[in-house]
Amino acid sequence: MSGMNIQASDCLLIIDVQNDFCSAGSLAVPDAEAVLPLINEFIPQFDTVVMTQDWHPAGHSSFASSHPGKQAFETITLPYGEQTLWPDHCVQGSHGADFHPDLHTDGAQLIIRKGFRTAIDSYSAFYENDHSTTTGLTGYLQQRGIRRLFCVGLALDYCVRFSAVDARREGFDAVVLEKACRGIDLDGSNDTALAQMRDAGVVIAS
């Protein structure tokens, strides 16, 4: 974190560091556990820490198992647009939905649960995938006087990307700490995500 002058108006946004996205999980992100020591080191440096948690009901519309004949990682069209189909993951109340046991969750003031509506997926900490249904995070951050978000966690090319881009859309400065993120990298999606974030004015910090 050297070179980053952390202010009271900064927030650390820790995205989806949950068992199902780690090595033994149903939607494992390569090298996911590598982010844990870095994130744990960052937490005490921030006055405001927010965590997100994927929180799907069983039979969620983003699960390939909900669409007969479809396989995980295929793309379908749902009423709100294109949707990648995933293995069942982060089902409410399951071990897979729990935060990784090595993540220091005590430092968080707010946990945003997302993806809990059966008919719509939610990557971003700010909006569901229709880009209009909000999580309420913007109002919380504004009332806390937050101006800049530092984004870390899983997965770089999906939930981190959408959260960082939406942070800019909502008027916040956004920094993605790349070493504290890992991506799924479907067909080069990590590079695409980094380009899209930069285009949106997100700072990518190594």
Side-chain angles (χ1 to χ4, degrees):
M1 220 46 173
S2 59
M4 291 290 181
N5 185 19
I6 303 304
Q7 311 286 332
S9 57
D10 291 333
C11 172
L12 181 65
L13 180 62
I14 302 169
I15 297 161
D16 294 3
V17 183
Q18 294 166 260
N19 289 323
D20 267 344
F21 296 125
C22 293
S23 56
S26 64
L27 184 47
V29 176
D31 200 32
E33 277 88 344
V35 306
L36 286 160
L38 282 169
I39 293 174
N40 288 338
E41 185 183 319
F42 295 153
I43 289 170
Q45 301 181 45
F46 287 83
D47 292 337
T48 303
V49 178
V50 174
M51 295 181 177
T52 69
Q53 188 176 21
D54 238 17
W55 197 248
H56 297 306
H60 192 266
S61 61
S62 71
F63 295 168
S65 61
S66 299
H67 304 274
K70 295 294 184 183
Q71 302 295 319
F73 308 112
E74 286 186 34
T75 300
I76 65 168
T77 301
L78 290 177
Y80 52 86
E82 285 199 347
Q83 172 66 50
T84 301
L85 295 179
W86 305 109
D88 291 24
H89 66 280
C90 297
V91 174
Q92 296 172 3
S94 69
H95 172 74
D98 289 343
F99 292 115
H100 190 285
D102 293 341
L103 181 67
H104 294 174
T105 57
D106 289 354
Q109 290 95 29
L110 179 70
I111 295 169
I112 291 277
R113 284 177 166 168
K114 57 191 181 63
F116 54 80
R117 295 177 175 88
T118 301
I120 187 168
D121 205 6
S122 185
Y123 298 149
S124 169
F126 292 91
Y127 288 94
E128 300 206 328
N129 285 4
D130 60 0
H131 307 296
S132 61
T133 304
T134 71
T135 65
L137 180 57
T138 296
Y140 175 84
L141 295 173
Q142 287 174 341
Q143 291 204 327
R144 292 288 301 268
I146 299 301
R147 293 196 289 272
R148 180 171 59 167
L149 276 82
F150 287 83
C151 303
V152 296
L154 309 170
L156 174 71
D157 41 346
Y158 286 91
C159 296
V160 173
R161 167 176 52 125
F162 279 80
S163 296
V165 169
D166 280 347
R168 295 291 298 135
R169 173 184 170 189
E170 295 296 278
F172 301 100
D173 291 330
V175 180
V176 167
L177 300 173
E178 191 176 1
K179 284 184 178 176
C181 302
R182 290 296 183 276
I184 299 170
D185 207 16
L186 283 176
D187 301 322
S189 54
N190 279 358
D191 287 342
T192 300
L194 290 169
Q196 288 183 345
M197 288 190 284
R198 288 189 179 103
D199 286 348
V202 177
V203 175
I204 308 296
S206 58

